[in-house]
């Protein structure tokens, strides 16, 4: 249920974002369209006003000029009337509207392109004397008129035109509305696509997280959202891709941790169950008399060994969990060469038992002679690795222990190479994991904790360890580093 709810939340979130973007786009475009329409209407209205005003003035002036130049300016002759008519006719060619030549009381002498609706405008225009009059007739018609007096006469020139809203609308539609509409549709399609593309990796991640939270560590965010070279991932934002990659890495780690935890638990269970089964068998046999009285001591000794084995396991586990942190108070400078020599001397009995030669090649460089850290723990690393070398090297074999300073990294590299069976390449990384043994049939001793403990101790000192195939003896070669003392001696105080 919870899973479904989460996925649904993610889906509805993307829908909400899409809707918000679409609605805001539509609102912005609508406002812009409205403003554009208003501006077109104003422009058309201004043009009409200018046209009626200018034309009525031009005609009036032209008639006045014509009358002045006639034979008898005080009389309007037929020739004058003819000239007046021609003037009106000429101007009307560039004017979309009606032109009237009237007397002061509205008697029409001439009309060009007359319209019945305009007649009422004439009186208003004459009484406004040169000012433009705008009359809204109905939704479609708005009349614009202007009248000018022909100087020194009682004649008036009246120009009337209709502001054709239908024409403005059709012009607005073809110039702005249709292109803008197509652009809005296109923008919406792009928005929806972009949102879908952006949110699909988020949805995928959400689904993956839900599955992981249910304990399914096999799921991963699809490669198309994490692979830079994938065409689909090009469309998703870089940081979302990084997020998806990080999520996959996190699940990898969780899966590994979960596997480790299961191996850890089953290893502990196995390593404790085996000696406990033996102890239980021996005690039962002693109690029911299956083991004769004279052999009891021998079996008690075996029980003691098994109990000791459990004790060693518990101590190792407890130690291993606390080794990755080094207490600065116990850090000290110690002579590395002496420590190595002592460890080899102490392991002499085991070496002799298998007739193994141990060659120690210690560097003469003064920088390789002293190290800095928790001496006892670092000594333990050498003991563990050298003990393993002896354990996995057959009789009459050879071991080489050598040191080399790395001044740049401020550490001393120690390598322990043996002529033993070596470690297969694919298992070299895993041998540092807890309870890991290359081949459980190879050795019955050990819990697979020795190298894990070494790695923890070295990690606590910020040092590294790895294993490779030895070039000289062809067995395993463990290489690890110990820190050199700090250069600034004040750090040691
Ligand atoms: P254990 O206590 O079982 O020896 P370690 O952690 O010390 O556990 O070693 C883990 C495993 O690594 C061993 O079981 C063995 O299989 C392998 N190993 C360690 N050192 C060597 C070596 N020198 N040569 C071959 N295999 C080794």
């Amino acid at each position: 249920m919870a899973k479904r709810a989460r996925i649904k939340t993610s889906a509805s979130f993307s829908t909400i974002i899409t809707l918000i973007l679409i609605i805001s786009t539509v609102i912005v475009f609508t406002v812009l369209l409205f403003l554009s329409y208003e501006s077109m209407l104003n422009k058309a209205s201004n043009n009409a006003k200018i046209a009626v005003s200018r034309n009525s003035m031009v005609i009036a002036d032209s008639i006045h000029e014509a009358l002045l130049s006639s034979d008898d300016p005080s009389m309007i002759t037929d020739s004058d009337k003819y000239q007046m008519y021609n003037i009106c006719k000429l101007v009307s060619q560039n004017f979309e509207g009606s032109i009237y030549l009237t007397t002061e009381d509205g008697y029409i002498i001439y009309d060009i392109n007359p319209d019945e609706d305009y007649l009422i405008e004439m009186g208003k225009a004459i009484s406004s004397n040169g000012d433009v009059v705008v009359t809204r007739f109905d939704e479609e018609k708005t009349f614009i008129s202007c009248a000018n007096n022909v100087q020194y006469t009682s004649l008036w020139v009246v120009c009337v035109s209709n502001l054709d809203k239908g024409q403005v609308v059709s012009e607005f539609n073809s110039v702005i509305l249709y292109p803008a509409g197509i652009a809005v549709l296109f923008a919406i399609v792009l928005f929806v696509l972009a949102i879908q593309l952006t949110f699909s990796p988020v949805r995928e991640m959400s689904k993956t997280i839900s599955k992981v939270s249910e304990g399914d560590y096999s799921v991963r965010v699809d490669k198309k959202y994490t692979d830079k070279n994938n065409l689909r991932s090009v469309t998703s934002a870089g940081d979302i891709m990084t997020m998806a990659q990080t999520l996959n890495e996190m699940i990898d780690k969780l899966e590994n941790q979960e596997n480790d935890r299961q191996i850890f638990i089953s290893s502990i269970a196995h390593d404790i169950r085996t000696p406990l089964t033996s102890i239980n068998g021996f005690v039962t046999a002693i109690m029911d008399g299956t083991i004769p009285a004279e052999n009891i001591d021998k079996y008690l000794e075996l029980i003691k060994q098994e109990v000791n084995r459990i004790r060693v396991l518990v101590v190792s586990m407890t130690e291993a969990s606390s080794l990755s942190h080094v207490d600065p108070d116990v850090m000290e400078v110690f002579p590395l060469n002496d420590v190595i020599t002592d460890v080899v001397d102490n392991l002499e009995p085991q070496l002799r038992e298998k007739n193994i030669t141990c060659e120690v090649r210690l560097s003469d460089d003064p920088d390789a002679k002293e190290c800095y850290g928790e001496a006892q723990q670092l000594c333990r690393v050498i003991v563990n690795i050298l003990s393993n070398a002896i354990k996995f090297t057959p009789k009459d074999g050879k071991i080489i222990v050598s040191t080399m300073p790395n001044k740049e990294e401020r550490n001393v590299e120690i390598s322990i190479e043996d002529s033993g069976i070596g470690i297969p390449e694919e298992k070299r990384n895993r041998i540092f994991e807890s309870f890991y043994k290359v081949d459980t049939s190879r050795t019955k001793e050990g819990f697979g904790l020795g190298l894990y403990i070494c790695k923890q101790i070295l990690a606590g000192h910020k040092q590294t360890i790895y294993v490779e195939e030895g070039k000289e003896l062809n067995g395993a070669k463990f290489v690890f580093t110990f820190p050199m003392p700090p250069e600034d001696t004040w750090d040691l105080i």
Side-chain angles (χ1 to χ4, degrees):
M1 276 300 279
K3 180 186 90 180
R4 285 221 178 122
R6 269 199 295 273
I7 294 169
K8 217 176 157 203
T9 310
S10 158
S12 58
F13 183 58
S14 69
T15 314
I16 288 168
I17 295 282
T18 312
L19 277 177
I20 289 174
L21 281 172
I22 291 175
I23 291 170
S24 49
T25 312
V26 169
I27 290 174
V28 169
F29 270 85
T30 311
V31 170
L32 285 177
L33 288 178
F34 177 74
L35 292 178
S36 310
Y37 175 71
E38 282 296 301
S39 132
M40 277 183 90
L41 203 60
N42 274 343
K43 206 174 154 195
S45 163
N46 283 341
N47 286 345
K49 281 179 191 171
I50 291 168
V52 290
S53 158
R54 202 179 52 207
N55 285 319
S56 61
M57 199 188 296
V58 167
I59 296 169
D61 285 351
S62 306
I63 293 175
H64 172 64
E65 294 284 321
L67 288 178
L68 280 182
S69 57
S70 76
D71 299 337
D72 182 0
S74 59
M75 283 247 332
I76 298 173
T77 60
D78 283 348
S79 132
D80 292 338
K81 285 180 184 170
Y82 180 71
Q83 225 177 334
M84 284 188 233
Y85 178 76
N86 277 343
I87 291 167
C88 293
K89 192 81 189 156
L90 189 74
V91 172
S92 77
Q93 284 173 6
N94 297 320
F95 178 64
E96 279 181 28
S98 307
I99 299 170
Y100 300 91
L101 185 66
T102 70
T103 58
E104 189 149 12
D105 51 12
Y107 175 75
I108 299 169
I109 301 171
Y110 293 130
D111 55 15
I112 293 166
N113 301 330
D115 188 320
E116 267 189 29
D117 290 341
Y118 292 168
L119 293 177
I120 194 164
E121 295 304 304
M122 243 178 325
K124 286 189 212 166
I126 291 170
S127 52
S128 294
N129 188 16
D131 288 341
V132 175
V133 179
V134 178
T135 310
R136 194 177 138 89
F137 189 76
D138 60 26
E139 193 54 43
E140 286 301 308
K141 294 176 185 168
T142 301
F143 299 141
I144 297 170
S145 56
C146 184
N148 269 283
N149 176 243
V150 180
Q151 275 184 53
Y152 311 121
T153 67
S154 60
L155 295 175
W156 285 81
V157 178
V158 185
C159 289
V160 189
S161 79
N162 177 20
L163 176 63
D164 192 349
K165 268 194 183 172
Q167 202 186 332
V168 176
V169 169
S170 75
E171 197 183 327
F172 170 78
N173 285 349
S174 60
V175 176
I176 293 178
L177 185 66
Y178 296 146
I182 292 168
V184 170
L185 274 180
F186 194 62
I188 287 174
V189 170
L190 280 182
F191 273 150
V192 174
L193 260 173
I195 295 282
Q196 286 309 313
L197 284 173
T198 313
F199 277 87
S200 59
V202 176
R203 266 202 298 275
E204 169 83 3
M205 281 192 275
S206 170
K207 256 193 260 172
T208 312
I209 292 170
S210 297
K211 284 194 179 157
V212 170
S213 69
E214 281 165 13
D216 180 0
Y217 295 102
S218 63
V219 284
R220 294 292 180 276
V221 179
D222 198 298
K223 264 200 177 140
K224 67 184 170 203
Y225 301 115
T226 57
D227 182 8
K228 263 189 203 154
N229 302 321
N230 190 298
L231 192 68
R232 185 74 193 271
S233 69
V234 174
T235 52
S236 54
D239 37 9
I240 290 187
M241 205 194 305
T242 315
M243 218 198 283
Q245 284 167 351
T246 315
L247 181 62
N248 275 356
E249 283 163 19
M250 204 182 78
I251 302 170
D252 282 345
K253 278 188 194 153
L254 280 177
E255 192 179 20
N256 287 342
Q257 274 172 12
E258 179 59 17
N259 289 343
D260 287 353
R261 197 177 65 88
Q262 279 172 9
I263 293 170
F264 190 76
I265 292 170
S266 57
S267 303
I268 296 173
H270 172 265
D271 286 334
I272 293 181
R273 196 172 48 230
T274 313
L276 273 182
T277 313
S278 308
I279 293 168
N280 187 40
F282 294 146
V283 171
T284 313
I286 291 170
M287 285 174 72
D288 66 14
T290 315
I291 294 174
E294 62 273 22
N295 285 347
I296 285 180
D297 281 354
K298 184 181 138 197
Y299 283 95
L300 282 178
E301 186 55 38
L302 287 174
I303 290 171
K304 195 179 160 195
Q305 278 175 20
E306 295 299 313
V307 169
N308 198 39
R309 196 170 150 76
I310 296 174
R311 191 185 60 79
V312 171
L313 171 64
V314 173
V315 170
S316 306
M317 274 168 40
T318 322
E319 276 183 351
S321 61
S322 63
L323 288 171
S324 54
H325 174 74
V326 189
D327 184 353
D329 290 344
V330 294
M331 300 280 272
E332 57 182 329
V333 177
F334 61 89
L336 176 65
N337 290 356
D338 293 353
V339 168
I340 293 177
T341 319
D342 285 352
V343 172
V344 175
D345 287 350
N346 287 337
L347 291 172
E348 186 58 37
Q350 286 97 308
L351 287 165
R352 205 171 328 115
E353 197 183 316
K354 292 176 90 174
N355 194 29
I356 294 173
T357 318
C358 185
E359 190 183 325
V360 180
R361 299 176 187 164
L362 300 175
S363 165
D364 287 338
D365 193 317
D367 276 341
K369 285 183 180 164
E370 282 190 328
C371 283
Y372 180 70
E374 197 177 341
Q376 263 195 344
Q377 299 293 18
L378 291 177
C379 172
R380 199 163 159 204
V381 173
I382 305 176
V383 172
N384 277 2
I385 291 171
L386 196 56
S387 303
N388 274 350
I390 299 171
K391 193 156 72 176
F392 295 102
T393 299
K395 278 191 172 176
D396 306 321
K398 187 176 176 183
I399 294 173
I400 301 171
V401 181
S402 54
T403 62
M404 200 207 305
N406 182 341
K407 295 186 190 189
E408 257 178 43
E409 299 284 331
R410 299 272 327 141
N411 61 35
V412 181
E413 197 177 274
I414 303 154
S415 66
I416 300 180
E417 183 177 350
D418 61 55
S419 61
I421 48 184
I423 299 164
E425 196 176 345
E426 69 279 6
K427 302 200 169 157
R428 286 182 198 151
N429 272 338
R430 298 216 58 196
I431 57 167
F432 298 103
E433 292 170 12
S434 53
F435 292 104
Y436 188 80
K437 296 179 186 179
V438 171
D439 181 356
T440 39
S441 62
R442 259 197 211 171
T443 169
K444 289 190 185 82
E445 308 161 39
F447 299 105
L449 283 172
L451 290 176
Y452 174 70
I453 287 172
C454 292
K455 189 162 182 173
Q456 296 293 100
I457 293 173
L458 290 167
H461 288 80
K462 300 193 171 45
Q463 302 300 305
T464 54
I465 182 167
Y466 65 88
V467 65
E468 61 183 13
E469 193 187 326
K471 301 267 177 312
E472 242 182 290
L473 304 175
N474 300 324
K477 180 179 177 182
F478 283 86
V479 184
F480 50 95
T481 55
F482 281 2
M484 281 182 189
E487 282 177 296
D488 188 350
T489 44
W490 283 101
D491 288 357
L492 300 175
I493 296 168

